[in-house]
Amino acid sequence: MTEHVDVVVIGAGGAGYPAAFLLDRAGRQVVMADPIGNLGGDCLAEGCIPSKAVREAALAYQRARTGVLSGARRSEVDGGDRPASSVWRAILEHKDRVQRLRYDQHRREIDASTVRFVAGSAHVISESEIEVTTASGAIERYRFEHLILATGSAPSRLPIPGAELAVTSHDLFRLGADLELPARPVIVGGGYIGMETATILEHLGAAPVVLEATDQVLPGFDEDLARFLERSLKGRVQLELGSAVTAIERRGGEFVVRYRQQAATSTDTGLQEGSVAGDLVIMATGRISVVPEGVEHLGIDLDRHGPVVDAGLRTTNPRVWAPGDVNGRSMLFHSAVRQSTVVAHNVLAGGAIADRMDFSTVPFTVFTDPELAGVGLTEVQARERYGDGSAVVVGTYDYAVDARAQIFGETEGWMKLVFDAHSACLLGAQVAGIDAAQLIAPLAIAVRERLSARALAEVAFPHPMVSEGIAKAAREVLV
Ligand code: ADP
């Protein structure tokens, strides 16, 4: 039997559940399906939440060993002679606790709503129907007025021999993850997942090697931030840039990763073969969009990123919406949440585009140590967009003079605010160093609301916090 409902949401991650709850509260009949059987998607199952739980614990461990207290009470703060493996187990237990806590919280949210949540995998069977196969093998069929495709993304693997020998972020961070702490991990890919993992493992005493195909870490991110991270990691993480991995082999109890590297000298344009051995290979080569089986029945256009969407996140079928990772535009949980609310508003408007997604003001964060974050335009992008050099002014702030950075003993870092010289509106901001991910939130508001340097300079930011730097950098462009 097929049940007719207003909205079907496939996927209960950041792109799915905010819309489901919003539409439910507005009186729409909503069915939401996800095989995980709870909310949070990959972010909670194996992404942002567990990786940050591990990261913060590793950072606490590293700060106790090498931070401001390292000269005193050393044996107490570094855990005496506890082996790294027992610290690692405690960290994984902490991670599991955080995941369980959030799953319990989400369970209560599901119970408090009237959304019908189906634990199962959905596939499309016609232009207006889906079928969900539940864990027990039961089949439920729904006809919809609107369909929200929020099926997210999954880690991608390079199509190379031996790719199956590598683990992914899923194996490292899933609930109940039980990988041993590697001593010499080889990380394939220097994007944000690869770099975050490298600094976490380095804090726990590992000697990571990162193989990155392009000539900077964090390809696609602001070059200033990427170069700052590269410099800061010297002596901590071995970075092999311009290195395209070609194969992974097992040798005894170890793995050998083969790569082709651009020759170092400008006169030699050839490629050199190289290899590196390690006790774990982590594939961190990005994520790819996931669409449900039978998606072809919907008649929507797909490109290499995923479903093609307009500013209202509507696909080429006006009754089908595709917010979040699935559309490949910006694979970030907070972006997915905002996209989800955009879709809910448009569904409530009867399918008209009443709300639009502004991707240009979505901040990004990289939880390496040092931490990085940015929003809006970089100086280079602003100069390109506004033509001549005089149209852009930049205010900077150096962590070397910042009270909080000094208190933490972590004075490497900076903040950069990029303003339109004529209107003095903030166009973008980049932050490198402690608290970067927190600082980017007020800066994202400022970029989105096009606040002026004067407006930022006139805020009394709390002392002694790094946010004081926002007013100081803004004052720099007023004189
Ligand atoms: P986003 O941040 O865009 O929400 P996530 O990857 O975090 O992306 O979440 C996507 C969710 O979609 C995951 O929980 C996944 O289990 C779910 N999902 C993927 N394919 C299906 C499917 N065919 N049926 C139901 N749920 C699905």
Side-chain angles (χ1 to χ4, degrees):
M1 209 190 87
T2 305
E3 198 175 331
H4 196 134
V5 295
D6 296 323
V7 184
V8 165
V9 183
I10 308 184
Y17 74 82
F21 287 149
L22 224 149
L23 291 164
D24 177 54
R25 279 202 303 277
R28 301 299 191 273
Q29 203 183 352
V30 181
V31 168
M32 177 160 58
D34 195 307
I36 291 176
N38 207 326
L39 312 181
D42 277 3
C43 167
L44 178 50
E46 59 186 66
C48 355
I49 299 292
S51 65
K52 257 82 274 175
V54 170
R55 185 254 188 185
E56 296 307 331
L59 205 51
Y61 176 69
Q62 190 267 353
R63 279 193 175 134
R65 289 162 61 88
T66 63
V68 287
L69 279 185
S70 60
R73 302 171 65 231
R74 174 145 202 133
S75 61
E76 283 110 294
V77 295
D78 75 359
D81 51 9
R82 280 183 82 191
S85 60
S86 77
V87 172
W88 176 240
R89 254 188 299 283
I91 288 176
L92 292 182
E93 280 164 21
H94 166 66
K95 172 193 82 62
D96 283 358
R97 260 195 311 276
V98 174
Q99 283 170 296
R100 287 206 188 89
L101 181 74
R102 295 194 65 74
Y103 277 132
D104 289 348
Q105 177 182 321
H106 286 324
R107 170 61 47 202
R108 290 194 293 277
E109 285 163 2
I110 295 171
D111 293 344
S113 79
T114 51
V115 168
R116 184 166 330 156
F117 187 86
V118 186
S121 189
H123 59 276
V124 183
I125 55 171
S126 80
E127 196 208 4
S128 53
E129 281 168 300
I130 62 120
E131 210 170 72
V132 189
T133 311
T134 67
S136 61
I139 291 184
E140 299 183 12
R141 199 177 266 198
Y142 297 96
R143 179 179 287 274
F144 55 81
E145 289 303 313
H146 288 275
L147 175 65
I148 301 179
L149 272 184
T151 41
S153 62
S156 71
R157 280 179 194 266
L158 290 181
I160 53 166
E164 70 287 354
L165 297 174
V167 302
T168 66
S169 52
H170 167 83
D171 308 285
L172 277 170
F173 299 123
R174 69 177 169 82
L175 190 60
D178 54 2
L179 285 175
E180 294 294 317
L181 177 66
R184 290 174 303 130
V186 181
I187 299 172
V188 181
Y192 75 95
I193 296 175
M195 297 314 296
E196 288 180 1
T197 306
T199 58
I200 290 171
L201 296 176
E202 189 263 335
H203 282 339
L204 298 172
V209 180
V210 175
L211 302 169
E212 164 52 44
T214 69
D215 64 0
Q216 73 164 51
V217 297
L218 304 176
F221 286 68
D222 175 33
E223 198 181 332
D224 286 351
L225 289 177
R227 298 293 179 217
F228 171 80
L229 181 63
E230 286 170 11
R231 277 195 304 279
S232 166
L233 293 183
K234 279 233 158 63
R236 294 168 51 197
V237 172
Q238 184 186 334
L239 295 177
E240 296 293 342
L241 300 178
S243 302
V245 171
T246 52
I248 304 170
E249 293 157 16
R250 199 194 292 273
R251 190 189 291 159
E254 285 209 331
F255 299 98
V256 176
V257 181
R258 301 199 177 281
Y259 57 91
R260 216 166 272 144
Q261 192 170 45
Q262 286 154 19
T265 64
S266 55
T267 49
D268 183 355
T269 53
L271 292 172
Q272 296 165 352
E273 303 286 334
S275 69
V276 57
D279 54 355
L280 183 70
V281 184
I282 301 167
M283 185 79 78
T285 44
R287 298 182 62 90
I288 45 163
S289 161
V290 171
V291 288
E293 266 178 53
V295 71
E296 63 281 0
H297 296 301
L298 298 172
I300 63 174
D301 287 350
L302 299 169
D303 66 14
R304 65 192 177 87
H305 303 291
V308 175
V309 287
D310 64 16
L313 305 166
R314 184 174 52 187
T315 67
T316 46
N317 176 339
R319 295 198 301 143
V320 180
W321 308 81
D325 283 16
V326 71
N327 66 42
R329 297 285 300 276
S330 86
M331 292 191 175
L332 299 165
F333 182 85
H334 50 279
S335 175
V337 169
R338 170 63 188 133
Q339 292 182 53
S340 194
T341 62
V342 167
V343 167
H345 295 151
N346 293 337
V347 169
L348 288 175
I353 302 303
D355 197 1
R356 292 181 149 71
M357 181 64 197
D358 177 10
F359 286 102
S360 71
T361 55
V362 175
F364 68 81
T365 52
V366 184
F367 290 92
T368 41
D369 179 25
E371 198 167 287
L372 312 174
V375 64
L377 300 181
T378 63
E379 183 180 354
V380 172
Q381 288 168 336
R383 290 197 194 287
E384 273 166 16
R385 178 153 325 169
Y386 291 93
D388 72 293
S390 63
V392 173
V393 285
V394 173
T396 55
Y397 179 66
D398 192 333
Y399 274 32
V401 299
D402 182 75
R404 181 168 163 88
Q406 290 161 352
I407 290 164
F408 269 80
E410 296 183 18
T411 51
E412 245 185 50
W414 44 263
M415 187 187 306
K416 197 164 162 181
L417 306 187
V418 181
F419 294 95
D420 175 336
H422 303 301
S423 63
C425 289
L426 188 67
L427 301 172
Q430 296 80 43
V431 189
I434 58 164
D435 300 343
Q438 289 281 8
L439 285 167
I440 214 63
L443 291 167
I445 299 173
V447 171
R448 190 176 153 80
E449 298 302 320
R450 299 188 63 79
L451 294 186
S452 68
R454 180 158 306 282
L456 292 173
E458 288 176 356
V459 175
F461 287 99
H463 178 71
M465 304 299 285
V466 192
S467 56
E468 290 174 285
I470 298 175
K472 288 183 182 169
R475 282 208 290 275
E476 215 178 70
V477 308
L478 289 179
V479 291

